[in-house]
Amino acid sequence: MESAPVIIIADDHPLFRDALTQAVNASLAGVYIEQACDIASLQRGVEKHPNANLILLDLHMPGAHGFSGLIYLSAHHPEIPVIVVSAHESSDIICRAMDHGASGFLPKSSSMQDITEAISQVLAGELWLPVNFDRECAGSSQEEMNMAGILSTLTPQQFRVATMLAQGLLNKQIAYELNVTEATIKAHITEIFRKLGVHSRTQAVIAIGQLDVLAPGNEQLHSR
């Protein structure tokens, strides 16, 4: 049993991880911080600390596909609250994040005071949202929520294969990255296709693409 509070900071930018580390240390005394720079290291982090108190999650880490990282955490580690920390600031993106299980949302432009307040509130079991959040936002489409539901049924290894598949990696490349045989990857892909209800890699990529998050400033182009 871990005696100190454990916070996992998942972001691919070292400088921003350092900034969040400073904010966490200012919020909590004696906290242990585990850092992750991609989805693979995030998975290892939560397996190492299944009783972590909080995860601060960037949406655009290597290995993530839109909201896929958040969906993975909500499915496999629902007891750990997650604050999404993102360059996106539109209410629709925030709505979608909350739909997929986030306990809070921090724009990367947030002040140190806001970050500290958000961490404190979420650790106390409350939700935290930016003051300019529009609660009348559209949120996720039914198709997106259906895809999230399917993605949540994938095992951790199937999830990694699916995200690599969505990035365009070949079976032999995925096998190399995961240190398994191509036959194992083919078996995983067969099961992924079955769960997604598709018959080709292209169809799988299009299906998972429903979870995409567009570049900041272009969120209004997201079709629902």
Side-chain angles (χ1 to χ4, degrees):
M1 183 174 181
E2 294 158 326
S3 56
V6 176
I7 309 292
I8 299 175
I9 297 175
D11 193 293
D12 63 332
H13 292 93
L15 289 177
F16 200 76
R17 285 202 306 274
D18 290 344
L20 287 175
T21 296
Q22 291 178 21
V24 170
N25 283 323
S27 303
L28 295 169
V31 64
Y32 176 83
I33 297 174
E34 178 84 15
Q35 294 193 7
C37 61
D38 55 22
I39 289 297
S41 57
L42 173 58
Q43 285 181 311
R44 290 193 296 270
V46 291
E47 287 167 5
K48 182 180 176 184
H49 303 285
N51 297 316
N53 299 82
L54 177 67
I55 297 172
L56 299 173
L57 176 70
D58 181 29
L59 294 178
H60 288 297
M61 291 190 303
H65 200 86
F67 290 100
S68 65
L70 177 59
I71 293 166
Y72 172 84
L73 292 171
S74 296
H76 295 280
H77 302 278
E79 69 286 353
I80 307 176
V82 178
I83 297 178
V84 170
V85 185
S86 177
H88 299 277
E89 300 193 19
S90 81
S91 291
D92 282 354
I93 294 295
I94 298 172
C95 250
R96 292 168 70 196
M98 304 308 285
D99 286 343
H100 293 305
S103 295
F105 193 102
L106 271 169
K108 286 194 173 182
S109 60
S110 298
S111 66
M112 189 68 73
Q113 180 180 343
D114 282 346
I115 295 173
T116 301
E117 182 181 332
I119 291 170
S120 298
Q121 283 195 206
V122 172
L123 286 175
E126 301 176 24
L127 298 179
W128 196 94
L129 295 166
V131 292
N132 61 346
F133 172 63
D134 178 6
R135 296 181 183 275
E136 299 301 316
C137 56
S140 304
S141 66
Q142 188 58 54
E143 291 80 6
E144 180 179 326
M145 293 306 295
N146 290 342
M147 178 51 53
I150 294 170
L151 205 62
S152 69
T153 69
L154 301 181
T155 67
Q157 191 76 326
Q158 287 171 355
F159 173 83
R160 291 191 66 189
V161 172
T163 55
M164 290 180 180
L165 183 70
Q167 292 166 18
L169 272 65
L170 302 175
N171 287 6
K172 63 180 180 181
Q173 293 173 308
I174 299 174
Y176 175 79
E177 290 292 330
L178 299 183
N179 195 28
V180 297
T181 66
E182 283 192 58
T184 297
I185 297 303
K186 288 179 181 178
H188 281 317
I189 289 177
T190 297
E191 184 62 11
I192 291 166
F193 282 5
R194 185 189 69 78
K195 289 182 176 180
L196 293 179
V198 300
H199 304 284
S200 71
R201 298 172 75 94
T202 299
Q203 290 177 333
V205 170
I206 292 172
I208 296 172
Q210 294 178 72
L211 302 172
D212 276 347
V213 177
L214 299 179
N218 293 324
E219 293 95 338
Q220 67 272 22
L221 299 179
H222 180 74
S223 175
R224 285 191 233 344

